[in-house]
Amino acid sequence: MAGLVRKSFEAPDEVRPFEGGTGHLEVVDLGGELGRATFQPGWQWSKHVKPIAGTESCQAAHTGYVVSGRLKVVMDDGEEAEFGAGDVIDAQPGHDAWVVGQEPCVMIDWKGYAGYAKR
């Protein structure tokens, strides 16, 4: 890879839609995938990504930043937290998540989107 690379989410390398038209993931490849997910109101991992992933809960580790909206994450062991605009999230594998409220949740993730929602 070159010493300086410029990419944009306005022209991503790949777009991965979620089930039911509930959002999508835009991916830019920088030798590792960086993603911007847009989760529409009503989106829930267990309803809209689980059919793609084929696992009981999300097995991706996420390290990211919430740009807008709100997201609730519940770990398999019951631990839970809600994240909003300006929050940094670190979630280990084994969780469900869903949009809280009527505003889309937009999240940038630099760790957990390599195989996320990939068909």
Side-chain angles (χ1 to χ4, degrees):
M1 183 166 279
L4 182 62
V5 176
R6 179 178 183 218
K7 296 226 175 178
S8 173
F9 283 120
E10 302 311 312
D13 294 313
E14 183 180 1
V15 177
R16 301 175 192 162
F18 303 137
E19 296 287 312
T22 57
H24 59 276
L25 172 63
E26 299 156 309
V27 178
V28 293
D29 187 353
L30 298 169
E33 294 176 344
L34 175 67
R36 177 175 70 179
T38 301
F39 306 108
Q40 295 297 331
W43 176 88
Q44 184 170 1
W45 185 92
S46 56
K47 294 177 183 173
H48 302 106
V49 181
K50 179 179 178 177
I52 301 167
T55 57
E56 283 304 307
S57 60
C58 181
Q59 296 303 304
H62 299 284
T63 300
Y65 175 77
V66 179
V67 177
S68 61
R70 299 198 67 75
L71 189 70
K72 182 161 186 172
V73 179
V74 178
M75 302 300 294
D76 290 350
D77 68 4
E79 181 182 5
E80 60 184 66
E82 194 170 307
F83 300 88
D87 287 341
V88 173
I89 179 174
D90 186 63
Q92 296 306 304
H95 57 270
D96 193 6
W98 57 88
V99 172
V100 175
Q102 295 305 309
E103 179 184 356
C105 179
V106 176
M107 187 172 112
I108 306 290
D109 190 323
W110 49 90
K111 184 176 179 184
Y113 286 158
Y116 194 86
K118 194 166 193 165
R119 296 177 195 272

